[in-house]
Amino acid sequence: LPVRMNHYAAIARQIRDVFARYTPLVEPLSLDEAFLDVSHCEDLFGSPAQIARRIKQEILDETRLIASVGVAPNKFLAKIASDLEKPDALVVVDPERVAEFLDPLPVGRIWGVGKVTASVMHRIGVVTIGQLRSISIDCLRQNFGDAGDHFWRLARGIDHRKVIPDRQAKSLSHEKTFEKDVTDLESLRNRLWELTEQVARRLRRTGQYGRTVQIKLRFADFRTITRSRTLPQPSDITADFWRPTRELLESALRSSRIIQGIRLVGMGISGLAEPLPVQQYLFDDPATAQHERQRQLDRVTDTIHTRFGATAITRATSLAASGRTVHDSE
């Protein structure tokens, strides 16, 4: 069927309107998914499970769509719960029975455990989350580096992150875990460009500017490094973020052996703030004019993405890296 991205965006707004009736603490994950913190809404709307049922019913009544909901004490558990019984899920995780809920699930349900990581876990005898919880933190660190602490916490259902709307966030970021370790610099650069576009688009949607750029790389041996750089001036322009992001990547890999492969890449922007007044000049300034052209380009690109989807317009290098056909015409 033909894609109708503008229609999907309109429906997504309807769904977000339903969320807003119950809590202002809504953290979007995608067009059709979000975390909601309803911990302070029980006196108004009932228990979290009752709120979930009401949200499901209102979405069905107003959009004729079926929603899946996970109700749990934290983001990690809620995400797993919402995925378990799709397409019409309402799974409630009892805070007193978290281990019982997690134990029988495959270890692949843990965030950050892809095919490659799962195969390593299988080699050390870990197939379920219950088995993962029985492994000592020292053993996990030995096999997975810094990620071992992350796996140890999630196996116990520990996730202290708060639900933070984009508008209130102190930073925005996206990560990509590869099914196969990437050893090609150009492919890695293109994936990082796509992440930079996504994060910058989210930033513009909040009406904020960002000042500090950060990248994250996880190698095949699970060693993880981060690098950051602060811009001279806060910005919301993709090109302003891409230049330091690309330079951080190339600098980080000069001191690392990419031949061993990269299994995860991430990009983030922090130092978020409202835009500040800008000094206006009597005469045209070439640098300022170029900056404004980049800002207009971002606005047009954002509009196209909103109406027609994230793949409607992209860089030719990204298409080439993904193996899709690139046409050249006049």
Side-chain angles (χ1 to χ4, degrees):
L1 295 175
V3 174
R4 297 184 296 158
M5 204 64 205
N6 54 339
H7 176 65
Y8 308 151
I11 296 296
R13 286 192 292 270
Q14 284 185 266
I15 295 172
R16 287 197 297 270
D17 288 343
V18 173
F19 296 160
R21 295 169 196 167
Y22 293 91
T23 175
L25 298 178
V26 178
E27 181 178 335
L29 294 183
S30 63
L31 198 63
D32 64 347
E33 190 171 13
F35 288 119
L36 283 71
D37 183 347
V38 297
S39 57
H40 302 291
C41 307
E42 296 183 57
D43 290 343
L44 288 172
F45 304 115
S47 70
Q50 291 173 321
I51 293 172
R53 291 189 186 93
R54 292 175 65 167
I55 287 174
K56 280 174 62 71
Q57 189 60 51
E58 290 181 24
I59 290 174
L60 181 62
D61 292 343
E62 297 177 28
T63 69
R64 297 185 296 172
L65 293 174
I66 294 172
S68 291
V69 184
V71 181
N74 60 49
K75 287 182 175 181
F76 169 62
L77 296 171
K79 172 61 176 170
I80 290 183
S82 70
D83 287 336
L84 282 182
E85 298 180 9
K86 286 184 175 181
D88 191 13
L90 176 50
V91 177
V92 180
V93 181
D94 186 338
E96 303 300 322
R97 304 174 70 179
V98 169
E100 182 180 332
F101 170 74
L102 288 175
D103 279 1
L105 299 177
V107 73
R109 292 282 184 178
I110 296 284
W111 284 343
V113 178
K115 291 182 179 179
V116 177
T117 306
S119 67
V120 176
M121 289 193 173
H122 292 169
R123 286 202 298 271
I124 62 175
V126 174
V127 177
T128 67
I129 294 179
Q131 291 170 333
L132 177 61
R133 195 171 64 254
S134 69
I135 302 296
S136 72
I137 193 168
D138 290 335
C139 179
L140 291 175
R141 287 170 177 167
Q142 182 179 353
N143 283 277
F144 305 106
D146 293 340
D149 294 63
H150 167 78
F151 298 147
W152 187 91
R153 288 191 297 271
L154 294 189
R156 288 157 176 76
I158 300 171
D159 182 8
H160 297 305
R161 294 169 308 145
K162 295 181 179 181
V163 173
I164 302 176
D166 277 356
R167 197 67 185 81
Q168 299 176 12
K170 295 181 180 179
S171 65
L172 298 174
S173 63
H174 277 295
E175 294 181 352
K176 170 67 176 178
T177 301
F178 303 111
E179 289 191 9
K180 295 182 178 179
D181 295 341
V182 174
T183 58
D184 175 57
L185 177 59
E186 190 61 27
S187 295
L188 188 62
R189 189 185 288 119
N190 290 327
R191 296 291 80 76
L192 194 56
W193 161 260
E194 292 173 356
L195 294 176
T196 302
E197 275 196 311
Q198 293 172 26
V199 174
R201 198 177 308 133
R202 284 179 61 195
L203 181 67
R204 288 190 291 273
R205 193 166 61 232
T206 69
Q208 298 184 98
Y209 282 30
R211 185 153 193 175
T212 300
V213 172
Q214 183 180 60
I215 67 166
K216 176 180 178 181
L217 298 173
R218 179 166 296 152
F219 293 86
D221 61 0
F222 292 93
R223 181 170 57 92
T224 303
I225 62 173
T226 59
R227 299 287 186 271
S228 64
R229 181 176 298 174
T230 298
L231 305 178
Q233 297 292 334
S235 178
D236 67 346
I237 296 175
T238 302
D240 288 348
F241 300 129
W242 173 238
R243 281 187 289 271
T245 298
R246 183 187 64 235
E247 291 167 2
L248 286 170
L249 173 67
E250 293 169 354
S251 174
L253 293 180
R254 280 193 211 106
S255 58
S256 304
R257 294 185 305 159
I258 191 172
I259 192 65
Q260 73 174 188
I262 302 292
R263 68 178 53 222
L264 176 147
V265 62
M267 186 275 174
I269 299 172
S270 60
L272 308 190
E274 299 290 339
L276 297 173
V278 177
Q279 173 67 48
Q280 299 296 315
Y281 295 94
L282 180 61
F283 302 103
D284 290 340
D285 176 64
T288 302
Q290 174 65 16
H291 216 242
E292 186 57 32
R293 283 194 294 271
Q294 290 288 344
R295 177 169 281 113
Q296 291 174 1
L297 177 62
D298 283 338
R299 288 172 181 165
V300 172
T301 303
D302 290 348
T303 300
I304 293 172
H305 283 145
T306 299
R307 292 193 60 187
F308 303 110
T311 60
I313 183 170
T314 188
R315 286 166 59 104
T317 51
S318 297
L319 290 170
S322 65
R324 288 175 283 176
T325 301
V326 182
H327 296 281
D328 183 13
S329 61
E330 294 183 359

